[in-house]
Amino acid sequence: MKNYKIAVIPGDGTGPEVVAEGLKVLKAVSQKCGFKYQTASFDFGGTRYLRTKEVLPKSAIKDLSKFDAIYLGAIGHPDVKPGILEKGILLKLRFDLDQYINLRPVKLYDERFCPLKGKTPKDIDFVVVRENSEGLYKGMGEFKNKGKKNEVATQISYNTRKGIERCLRYAFEYTQKNRERKELTLCGKTNVLTYAFDLWERTFYEVAKEYPDVKTKYTHVDATTMWFVKNPEWFDVIVTDNMFGDIITDLGAMIQGGMGIAAGGNINPKGVSMFEPIGGSAPKYAGKNVINPLAAICAVSMMVNHLGEHKASDMIEKSVINVVRNKLKDLAAGKMGYSTTQVGDLVVQHL
Ligand code: IPM
Ligand code: MN
């Protein structure tokens, strides 16, 4: 029997509440599908930082790399200046564990929860493959004449052929293996970012030659946001850089029903991957048992799929769809018609 080692980082705000529901579902599905796992909890986050003045202990990366997967709740604390925890924990884990893909499915489960008029689940079912290790997130740049009238701030988008190619390859493989339509769209800005996206575009069409059964398309990022709203059915799989991927997946989350349902995976295909609800720590809802745990539960579905437990992953997704369609009044915090723990129980009952 398989026995997986899973590191759990509940994190801040509503993180621990949603993670508890995800683990409840994991326990139930593991019993039904016959696999075992062990969890170890790590207290990384704002509360620990305020107590210890240390964002991450030195051993964190080494410790986490011994696990089969990482399950993360949310990082972000109202008493900590923006940037410290994001860079010091979330981005550090993504970078140091070389999770170079951020995989974000955008799938509408029930048209009642779509803000777009007339769009149904058959119209909104695509996946964003976001490059997760380079671009503007690399942290390169500087201030010149800081604080003066002639101050200049630069922030460099750093793109390597190797980094782009491994991301594109993942996107082509993913499209070929997992999608019926087999259409991959490169989302960029070749008309303005004439260095970065020139390299992306050249590499895209070069790699495409190795995947003749995958249809390729290109859209500028601004047009992409327009199509997300007007014709989301045009998209099957989208591959894009780190910054554009960050932006378009928040819009993607909205058209699939909101942050309450959107999950993602930070993937290192040959290392340790980390799965998370893509929304933040929502401190104003913390401890109230009102936050929607479905995004965190969907993150568990992605995690077990990544571990090779495809049946368990499908069971979770089907149960979530069932609960979303037949039980919930709304996907927003406090409006679901059920509490956080009740929603977790419903998913377990419908497995
Ligand atoms: C996300 C978040 C992060 C990002 C922040 C918290 C650093 O917005 O996961 O999309 O920008 O990647
Ligand atoms: Mn984001």
Side-chain angles (χ1 to χ4, degrees):
M1 199 189 271
K2 285 270 173 62
N3 191 354
Y4 303 103
K5 293 200 297 284
I6 298 171
V8 181
I9 309 174
D12 301 313
T14 52
E17 288 168 72
V18 297
V19 158
E21 299 315 302
L23 292 176
K24 197 192 260 177
V25 173
L26 178 62
K27 186 173 179 191
V29 88
S30 71
Q31 286 161 357
K32 285 188 192 281
C33 294
F35 65 87
K36 285 204 268 224
Y37 64 94
Q38 287 148 8
T39 59
S41 192
F42 292 83
D43 66 351
F44 308 153
T47 315
R48 179 183 190 282
Y49 171 70
L50 290 171
R51 196 181 67 234
T52 62
K53 295 282 160 282
E54 176 186 69
V55 258
L56 271 187
K58 282 208 174 60
S59 60
I61 301 299
K62 211 173 134 235
D63 292 346
L64 288 171
S65 38
K66 294 181 190 132
F67 287 83
D68 295 308
I70 304 167
Y71 183 39
L72 172 71
I75 300 286
H77 197 290
D79 302 336
V80 183
K81 203 177 136 212
I84 295 178
L85 302 171
E86 291 85 344
K87 276 193 156 176
I89 302 179
L90 187 60
L91 297 181
K92 181 155 174 69
L93 295 180
R94 287 178 183 171
F95 287 165
D96 288 8
L97 294 167
D98 205 17
Q99 296 164 340
Y100 62 85
I101 297 296
N102 197 322
L103 190 66
R104 296 188 161 178
V106 177
K107 194 166 171 183
L108 176 65
Y109 289 146
D110 186 333
E111 64 183 272
R112 282 186 297 146
F113 305 130
C114 182
L116 307 177
K117 197 169 67 190
K119 297 297 174 190
T120 65
K122 72 172 177 11
D123 299 309
I124 300 176
D125 181 2
F126 61 88
V127 177
V128 178
V129 177
R130 164 185 174 189
E131 201 292 321
N132 212 29
S133 66
E134 299 191 334
L136 283 164
Y137 278 69
K138 192 79 181 173
M140 288 173 73
E142 63 176 358
F143 296 113
K144 278 202 179 114
N145 310 321
K146 193 167 182 186
K148 307 232 176 72
K149 285 266 185 269
N150 60 346
E151 180 166 354
V152 179
T154 54
Q155 190 93 41
I156 292 170
S157 174
Y158 179 85
N159 301 267
T160 64
R161 164 75 196 212
K162 187 176 162 230
I164 293 171
E165 193 175 325
R166 67 181 183 173
C167 173
L168 289 171
R169 248 175 228 292
Y170 181 92
F172 275 102
E173 299 274 338
Y174 181 91
T175 308
Q176 191 176 54
K177 281 201 195 110
N178 299 289
R179 307 293 297 187
E180 243 167 71
R181 267 167 66 189
K182 300 197 196 308
E183 284 179 19
L184 180 63
T185 302
L186 172 65
C187 163
K189 189 74 186 174
T190 51
N191 53 350
V192 175
L193 306 182
T194 50
Y195 300 110
F197 275 95
D198 190 80
L199 180 55
W200 271 89
E201 195 181 33
R202 275 184 283 123
T203 314
F204 182 66
Y205 290 114
E206 221 177 286
V207 174
K209 289 185 198 141
E210 294 169 45
Y211 301 88
D213 55 334
V214 176
K215 210 174 133 204
T216 54
K217 297 204 253 181
Y218 172 82
T219 50
H220 291 320
V221 64
D222 47 349
T224 303
T225 63
M226 177 179 80
W227 299 127
F228 269 24
V229 174
K230 199 168 175 288
N231 295 98
E233 65 278 9
W234 284 6
F235 294 109
D236 186 21
V237 181
I238 298 169
V239 63
T240 191
D241 82 351
N242 211 340
M243 187 80 257
F244 291 164
D246 176 49
I247 297 168
I248 67 171
T249 52
D250 264 27
L251 180 56
M254 286 303 119
I255 66 171
Q256 76 182 117
M259 286 299 176
I261 193 84
N266 301 279
I267 314 261
N268 175 343
K270 292 191 182 121
V272 188
S273 301
M274 176 168 75
F275 299 84
E276 54 174 345
I278 82 171
S281 58
K284 71 172 179 182
Y285 296 120
K288 300 202 168 115
N289 201 16
V290 296
I291 195 77
N292 187 345
L294 289 177
I297 293 170
C298 290
V300 170
S301 167
M302 292 183 76
M303 178 169 73
V304 295
N305 193 48
H306 182 79
L307 291 171
E309 300 293 337
H310 307 295
K311 186 174 153 231
S313 173
D314 280 355
M315 277 173 74
I316 299 173
E317 189 184 31
K318 287 206 176 85
S319 174
V320 168
I321 294 176
N322 198 341
V323 170
V324 166
R325 290 208 187 136
N326 302 313
K327 297 282 175 189
L328 297 200
K329 289 200 180 74
D330 202 297
L331 295 178
K335 297 180 182 166
M336 300 183 290
Y338 297 90
S339 66
T340 306
T341 43
Q342 284 174 326
V343 173
D345 291 341
L346 282 171
V347 175
V348 168
Q349 281 160 29
H350 290 82
L351 281 172

